[in-house]
Amino acid sequence: MSRLRFDAILESQKRTPLAVEDAGRRSEIFASNVFNDERMLQYLTKDALDSVRNAIFSGSKINRKIADQVAEAMKGWAITMGATHYTHWFQPLTGATAEKHDAFFDLLDDGRALEKFGGAQLVQQEPDASSFPSGGIRNTFEARGYTAWDPTSPAFVYGTTLCIPTVFVSYTGEALDNKTPLLRALNAIDEAATGVAKYFDKNVVKVSATLGWEQEYFLIDRALANSRTDISLTGRTLIGNAAAKGQQLDDHYFGVIPNRAIAFMKELERECLVLGIPVKTRHNEVAPNQFELAPVFEEANLAVDHNLLLMDVMDKVAAKHNFKVLFHEKPFEGINGSGKHNNWSLTTDTGVNLLSPGSTPMKNLQFLTFFVNTIKAVDNYEELLRSSIASASNDHRLGANEAPPAIISIFIGTQLGNVLDELEGVTKGKLSPEEKTELKLNVVGKIPEILLDNTDRNRTSPFAFTGNKFEMRGVGSKTNCAKPMTILNTIVAKQLRDFKKEVDALIDKKSLKKDEAVFNVLREYIKTSKRIRFDGDGYSMDWEKEAKRRKLSNNKNTPDALKVLTSADSISLFQATGVLSETEIKARQEVELEAYIMHVQIEGRVLIDMVYNQVIPTAVEYQSRLIKNVLGLKEIYGAAHKGLSDTTASIIENIGENMAELKKKTDAMRAAITRADKQADTHKKASTYCDSVFPYFLEIRGHCDNLEQLVDDQLWPLTKYRELLFIK
């Protein structure tokens, strides 16, 4: 095995950057492979174009006659782009995307061939759904599941395939994907936010949630990554001693991008741009071989689709450049892991960002309304929001030194905190003319000036206000953004509905003016949501104690975090907003628990295999060499050999002790896995894996890493951290 390691090192050292053609002006190639509004103008009749636009804007249905026209136009365009097949591109509960390709091909009765693609194929397909996770919604022998066209996310040509974004539902209508609940949540936030926005501008007809994700990732030479079983099968290193140099010097962060990496990025950006993914930013991250890219903000549903497509494109482009992309949240122990910050806001069809203050007190009151309601929503459902970022891989990152803690809190900065403190003192009921003037001119009116210097950033906050948006930082780098975005938009939609009811009641029953009613309700929300606001260090034990005093949840692992999904409050929330039925909620909880179990189970099995087939045999071989050395010294020097062989004997003993403990812990973990697998209840099984299997991982790793330091480097079979992270 050591030969595989050294062959991989040699191969990686011979790499040179691939030549990448200049993409030209970005504006000229952007979305050239997308059937967007510009293409529809060229290919669709006016009636068909109006129908699709209405579906995108208001969710109206497209009739079959129009669908046939759209399908014919889409096929014609796709064929000119080199497409030979089409697929319904969907998001099953695996967390990734899925597709089944069909050719633009059919036979006539007389045997002649033709390219065929009609409205029926565009609008709906029936892929075999039997093997996708369903959480008990369906039996595995029941294969029917339907994909249905989502016109709000444009079709695109990827390679030689026309990809049509779709939802995925069961034969009985339940959502089997991540897109369907997201679309429902976006509809809920649209209705609720539009109702509130009309207090300030009667012309608002639609409100859209926007999302800007930041994708962190590691680039590892493909040969080096393939030389390790753990990276190949789990996406992370289960064992490995830290390199002498890690990220201590901060020399990688925002440093010069290595030549091979920049060549990869250039080709990646070109592929993204033609697919309509508006990538904008690229840079080195903190850890060695860690990077980040980020796009321009987009409507949330489209942004989610683009992030999923991006990860697929990254894998394919990386393979061409002899890299492997690691999206795991913590692929290397002792250095920073990777997240996917989700920057969220709300915008109106009139072009206003509702989380950005304006030039007048009324516009700033609008900002405060959506700002405070978001804080209140997170306070009400902080535990549910935490559940949306729970996974076996993200458990390694949440609460680590570089990531937000598992306790959800909100950072807003000192100045905005002072504004809310002043608003907390608003008089109950009608406001005096003096108080109105004071509020509008000296409190609300000065918000834009405050935000120009909105204190220093707090990078440990899980949910931070950053000027004109909220940044949800706990999202894992592998996570489908649809999950946290579904929860966030749902809870804010519910909160805005409640807010409007309270304001309308004060206007109708208490005869308060609109701004007085708004101030009165906001005052109460500010008081009741103060516990969620925290501007300090999220890592300190003092914060854990304080959070406990404030009765904030601190669910440090996935099985605990997922319990809240089926609480009475959660079920009521999802049903009231129409986002998920009780059956769909329970199914999702089951799927997430099963995924957690399988991830830990697979990692445990891989670890056992590495211990018994790589680590222990290598340690035994080196120990045997040392024993032979001691015996040789004894044969030559007799009793005098002891002074000469003491160091060697000490290493032999140290190796033996570590191997004995390693075997003991590995056997104990194997037994714990067997016991866990006997659990019939999914909740209990997940908790058993978490409490009884996972703790062995670190203990086993400790002994393996000790042996890595003791065994001759020429014998050690596993590519080391210093090679994985520092060979460019």
Side-chain angles (χ1 to χ4, degrees):
M1 280 300 295
S2 59
R3 179 176 175 182
L4 176 60
R5 171 190 162 204
F6 288 111
D7 285 348
I9 293 170
L10 185 62
E11 186 178 347
S12 66
Q13 288 174 333
K14 292 178 181 178
R15 311 275 199 215
T16 56
L18 294 187
V20 178
E21 291 182 19
D22 185 19
R25 295 184 64 179
R26 291 175 167 235
S27 59
E28 292 177 353
I29 66 169
F30 181 69
S32 54
N33 282 21
V34 182
F35 195 69
N36 55 15
D37 200 67
E38 182 182 342
R39 306 278 130 50
M40 288 193 290
L41 274 169
Q42 297 172 5
Y43 283 87
L44 294 182
T45 65
K46 185 179 184 304
D47 287 346
L49 180 60
D50 289 344
S51 183
V52 174
R53 283 176 172 172
N54 287 336
I56 294 170
F57 185 80
S58 61
S60 62
K61 293 194 175 184
I62 297 172
N63 66 45
R64 185 52 59 89
K65 183 179 178 182
I66 293 293
D68 284 335
Q69 291 182 37
V70 175
E72 187 61 33
M74 203 181 280
K75 180 194 73 177
W77 167 77
I79 289 173
T80 67
M81 299 297 295
T84 58
H85 290 69
Y86 67 92
T87 183
H88 275 201
W89 187 73
F90 59 103
Q91 304 172 28
L93 297 177
T94 57
T97 59
E99 54 196 60
K100 181 187 76 170
H101 295 195
D102 285 300
F104 292 125
F105 178 79
D106 207 349
L107 289 176
L108 297 174
D109 293 340
D110 59 7
R112 286 180 298 160
L114 79 164
E115 277 82 21
K116 184 177 180 182
F117 179 64
Q121 289 79 36
L122 168 64
V123 172
Q124 183 176 300
Q125 272 195 322
E126 186 184 334
D128 183 347
S130 60
S131 295
F132 288 116
S134 71
I137 285 178
R138 57 191 299 106
N139 296 309
T140 54
F141 60 82
E142 294 172 328
R144 275 197 168 175
Y146 296 100
T147 50
W149 176 34
D150 170 19
T152 64
S153 184
F156 55 93
V157 170
Y158 187 23
T160 59
T161 305
L162 171 66
C163 300
I164 303 158
T166 60
V167 299
F168 181 44
V169 297
S170 72
Y171 178 70
T172 48
E174 290 92 358
L176 294 173
D177 65 345
N178 287 305
K179 180 186 271 279
T180 302
L182 174 63
L183 291 174
R184 293 170 182 168
L186 294 175
N187 182 63
I189 193 76
D190 174 17
E191 291 181 359
T194 299
V196 174
K198 283 183 178 293
Y199 284 145
F200 308 97
D201 182 357
K202 295 291 186 183
N203 296 315
V204 173
V205 177
K206 183 178 179 62
V207 173
S208 300
T210 61
L211 168 63
W213 39 261
E214 303 167 28
Q215 182 69 60
E216 293 179 334
Y217 61 98
F218 281 84
L219 275 183
I220 307 299
D221 185 90
R222 199 162 194 81
L224 298 177
N226 289 340
S227 72
R228 291 198 52 132
T229 310
D230 48 3
I231 293 179
S232 297
L233 296 182
T234 72
R236 76 178 181 107
T237 54
L238 297 174
I239 60 179
N241 189 54
K245 179 180 183 294
Q247 62 189 48
Q248 307 97 311
L249 301 177
D250 294 324
D251 52 341
H252 190 258
Y253 190 50
F254 277 58
V256 177
I257 301 173
N259 289 335
R260 282 185 65 200
I262 200 73
F264 158 79
M265 290 176 181
K266 284 180 180 178
E267 183 160 358
L268 172 64
E269 289 176 1
R270 185 182 64 195
E271 292 296 315
C272 286
L273 288 168
V274 299
L275 291 168
I277 307 171
V279 290
K280 184 178 177 67
T281 302
R282 66 189 185 202
H283 64 83
N284 289 3
E285 258 300 334
V286 175
N289 281 358
Q290 186 187 32
F291 306 94
E292 179 183 299
L293 66 80
V296 177
F297 284 40
E298 298 180 284
E299 184 276 326
N301 177 46
L302 183 58
V304 168
D305 282 359
H306 279 165
N307 183 250
L308 290 167
L309 179 58
L310 167 91
M311 291 193 284
D312 184 54
V313 175
M314 287 178 76
D315 280 334
K316 291 179 180 177
V317 174
K320 287 179 62 177
H321 289 255
N322 292 303
F323 281 124
K324 183 175 180 63
V325 181
L326 301 185
F327 291 114
H328 194 286
E329 284 80 1
K330 196 75 172 177
F332 301 102
E333 191 69 23
I335 61 173
N336 281 9
S338 298
K340 180 151 52 190
H341 296 183
N342 276 206
N343 295 277
W344 171 89
S345 191
L346 297 170
T347 59
T348 68
D349 60 310
T350 58
V352 175
N353 180 349
L354 295 172
L355 287 174
S356 182
S359 56
T360 66
M362 183 57 75
K363 288 180 179 177
N364 293 332
L365 182 57
Q366 175 179 263
F367 156 73
L368 277 173
T369 295
F370 286 92
F371 178 68
V372 172
N373 271 282
T374 301
I375 294 172
K376 178 64 174 168
V378 174
D379 178 61
N380 287 344
Y381 295 102
E382 47 88 15
E383 192 170 13
L384 188 61
L385 198 61
R386 163 68 180 94
S387 75
S388 72
I389 55 175
S391 70
S393 53
N394 209 21
D395 279 359
H396 295 280
R397 173 176 164 266
L398 292 179
N401 288 337
E402 83 285 356
I407 305 165
I408 298 295
S409 64
I410 297 179
F411 168 83
I412 63 171
T414 305
Q415 287 93 331
L416 276 176
N418 291 338
V419 169
L420 297 194
D421 290 343
E422 290 197 52
L423 291 174
E424 194 178 332
V426 170
T427 301
K428 188 173 183 179
K430 292 186 178 181
L431 307 179
S432 68
E434 293 78 16
E435 189 171 15
K436 274 193 179 184
T437 301
E438 169 68 18
L439 283 172
K440 289 184 177 180
L441 296 182
N442 297 325
V443 181
V444 177
K446 290 186 176 180
I447 288 175
E449 298 168 28
I450 289 170
L451 291 182
L452 288 175
D453 183 24
N454 188 28
T455 72
D456 198 7
R457 282 186 74 205
N458 182 327
R459 63 184 297 274
T460 68
S461 174
F463 200 85
F465 183 70
T466 55
N468 59 0
K469 62 188 182 301
F470 280 99
E471 183 176 3
M472 190 174 176
R473 295 182 178 142
V475 183
S477 52
K478 282 203 309 184
T479 301
N480 181 337
C481 299
K483 291 164 59 180
M485 285 297 101
T486 296
I487 300 296
L488 179 57
N489 284 290
T490 300
I491 65 176
V492 176
K494 172 66 163 59
Q495 178 54 47
L496 289 171
R497 284 185 187 181
D498 293 345
F499 171 78
K500 190 171 187 306
K501 287 179 184 176
E502 292 185 52
V503 170
D504 288 347
L506 290 178
I507 294 171
D508 295 339
K509 296 177 182 178
K510 300 292 185 180
S511 299
L512 295 186
K513 292 184 178 179
K514 179 176 62 182
D515 54 353
E516 290 175 329
V518 168
F519 275 125
N520 270 260
V521 177
L522 292 182
R523 178 197 63 228
E524 295 306 310
Y525 288 173
I526 292 166
K527 288 180 180 178
T528 56
S529 63
K530 287 187 78 169
R531 65 166 191 158
I532 202 73
R533 287 160 45 196
F534 177 66
D535 292 352
D537 181 6
Y539 303 141
S540 70
M541 291 303 293
D542 289 342
W543 167 232
E544 287 207 14
K545 292 176 183 175
E546 173 62 15
K548 186 176 181 180
R549 187 190 69 78
R550 297 187 188 190
K551 297 183 179 179
L552 293 172
S553 66
N554 186 10
N555 295 320
K556 296 184 177 182
N557 60 66
T558 294
D560 286 347
L562 293 176
K563 289 177 182 177
V564 71
L565 278 176
T566 49
S567 70
D569 283 348
S570 296
I571 291 172
S572 175
L573 164 76
F574 288 123
Q575 289 180 331
T577 52
V579 172
L580 289 166
S581 67
E582 185 171 352
T583 299
E584 290 170 328
I585 299 164
K586 290 179 177 178
R588 273 157 176 71
Q589 184 186 59
E590 187 79 8
V591 168
E592 296 287 345
L593 289 168
E594 287 174 351
Y596 177 86
I597 291 165
M598 287 184 283
H599 277 98
V600 179
Q601 182 190 75
I602 290 168
E603 288 191 349
R605 290 174 175 175
V606 170
L607 190 52
I608 290 168
D609 176 68
M610 294 176 75
V611 166
Y612 280 111
N613 292 301
Q614 294 176 296
V615 176
I616 288 179
T618 303
V620 168
E621 181 179 349
Y622 185 57
Q623 188 183 51
S624 298
R625 290 187 185 185
L626 296 179
I627 291 170
K628 187 176 180 180
N629 173 266
V630 171
L631 292 174
L633 289 171
K634 184 178 181 181
E635 186 177 334
I636 295 172
Y637 295 103
H641 84 283
K642 287 190 175 180
L644 300 172
S645 62
D646 284 351
T647 299
T648 308
S650 174
I651 295 173
I652 292 169
E653 184 178 351
N654 204 342
I655 289 174
E657 289 172 351
N658 274 284
M659 280 200 296
E661 283 300 306
L662 181 57
K663 183 181 184 305
K664 178 182 174 183
K665 299 296 184 185
T666 305
D667 287 346
M669 183 178 71
R670 192 203 299 268
I673 290 174
T674 300
R675 288 194 299 272
D677 286 340
K678 290 179 180 178
Q679 293 275 7
D681 181 80
T682 310
H683 293 257
K684 290 179 180 177
K685 189 173 183 178
S687 294
T688 303
Y689 261 100
C690 180
D691 299 334
S692 302
V693 176
F694 181 72
Y696 283 111
F697 283 29
L698 280 179
E699 296 181 52
I700 291 170
R701 181 184 196 124
H703 293 297
C704 289
D705 293 355
N706 289 341
L707 289 169
E708 181 183 328
Q709 295 177 82
L710 292 167
V711 170
D712 182 355
D713 183 64
Q714 294 299 308
L715 288 178
W716 193 253
L718 300 167
T719 306
K720 296 187 175 183
Y721 270 32
R722 67 169 185 258
E723 296 146 0
L724 289 166
L725 293 170
F726 292 98
I727 292 178
K728 302 299 182 185

